[in-house]
Amino acid sequence: MSSQPLDFECPRCARPASQATYGPCADCRHQLRARFEGDGRQVEVARYEPKMNVVPNQVATKD
Ligand SMILES: [Zn+2]
């Protein structure tokens, strides 16, 4: 019974999907995986930017 696939709309592309679990369709999962692998480093770099901005600001406030 639980092995019956669910029929739902993909939350990402809104196209009908049929999978065992709710989530992005196979097509979207493919794109998401490529995105995670490709943008993974960019996200990490973006995290560092605010940190570096906080330090000069605190120093400037003390001045
Ligand atoms: Zn999709």
Side-chain angles (χ1 to χ4, degrees):
M1 261 197 181
S2 58
S3 61
Q4 255 190 342
L6 295 166
D7 286 323
F8 58 90
E9 271 188 9
C10 169
R12 192 166 180 266
C13 67
R15 274 155 63 190
S18 185
Q19 291 178 163
T21 55
Y22 179 82
C25 67
D27 213 37
C28 288
R29 276 197 313 223
H30 236 77
Q31 290 176 28
L32 285 170
R33 185 178 284 184
R35 233 194 181 181
F36 272 124
E37 285 174 2
D39 289 358
R41 281 187 179 178
Q42 280 183 4
V43 173
E44 265 185 56
V45 171
R47 267 189 186 172
Y48 277 100
E49 259 186 89
K51 264 191 182 179
M52 288 179 87
N53 282 339
V54 166
V55 175
N57 274 346
Q58 280 179 341
V59 172
T61 310
K62 272 187 181 179
D63 239 33

